[in-house]
Amino acid sequence: IGTARAALLDGTDTPDAEAAKALARTYLHFGFGAEAAQVLDAFAISPQEAPGLHDLALMVDGLLPEEPARYVDQMSCDSNIALWAVLAQPEPGPPAGAPIETGAVRRAFSLLPLHLRRHLGPILVQRFVQRGDLETARALSAAIGRAVGGHGNAVAVMEARLTLAEDAAAGATDGAAPA
């Protein structure tokens, strides 16, 4: 962060917009959405100059972008944007029937640093639980669980909710089986 902050001004104290965007990306890497937004605002970096950075700053802090609907079609992309497009959707999550490229979501989530998986995982897993996609929810949870160490209370609550949803789904299936 220090190196990125030091690059904000050149030798003539002229603000460097590219350095400001780089600092915002650094803040996002560490999960500091408000700080990223503050840098973008302080250096008057418009959403057109830095596509997606303003929205990512909100999503990293668990907030929604101003126009979540513009991300709905991107949930079906076979790229990292699918993850962020799912996170961009308001509660209870992605619209029913909207296609999601779950393989891309899983891959993108697994590529995140562990601290961001721990931070964003509970939100993302809940979106898939609410959608009834317990297989994807479990895979996302496993991307956190396979890392060594404690994962914190939010992840423990996420695991408990996922287990309850799986138990409820199994109970519904058992009750539907012929006797």
Side-chain angles (χ1 to χ4, degrees):
I1 291 175
T3 303
R5 286 181 56 90
L8 287 175
L9 298 173
D10 64 15
T12 63
D13 289 339
T14 303
D16 183 343
E18 291 305 313
K21 289 186 264 186
L23 177 59
R25 287 185 195 95
T26 300
Y27 280 139
L28 290 173
H29 169 82
F30 289 108
F32 302 144
E35 291 80 358
Q38 184 180 34
V39 167
L40 295 170
D41 291 343
F43 284 82
I45 307 293
S46 71
Q48 293 75 25
E49 290 177 84
L53 280 182
H54 290 272
D55 288 347
L56 285 174
L58 292 168
M59 288 187 268
V60 163
D61 280 348
L63 304 171
L64 297 176
E66 289 184 25
E67 299 177 44
R70 75 182 193 157
Y71 289 98
V72 170
D73 291 338
Q74 294 176 346
M75 293 187 307
S76 62
C77 292
D78 192 16
S79 69
N80 294 350
I81 189 63
L83 165 81
W84 299 102
V86 171
L87 284 171
Q89 301 311 303
E91 287 294 327
I100 299 175
E101 179 54 52
T102 57
V105 172
R106 290 179 188 189
R107 286 189 304 274
F109 188 72
S110 291
L111 290 173
L112 291 174
L114 180 58
H115 63 276
L116 284 179
R117 281 183 275 152
R118 287 176 176 151
H119 178 64
L120 297 172
I123 299 166
L124 194 59
V125 166
Q126 186 61 25
R127 299 279 165 86
F128 283 99
V129 166
Q130 289 171 324
R131 190 175 173 89
D133 185 349
L134 300 181
E135 180 182 340
T136 299
R138 180 51 66 194
L140 295 170
S141 173
I144 300 169
R146 66 179 163 253
V148 178
H151 301 299
N153 291 337
V155 172
V157 169
M158 173 197 78
E159 282 293 329
R161 287 181 176 158
L162 180 54
T163 299
L164 286 172
E166 289 171 333
D167 290 349
T173 303
D174 291 345

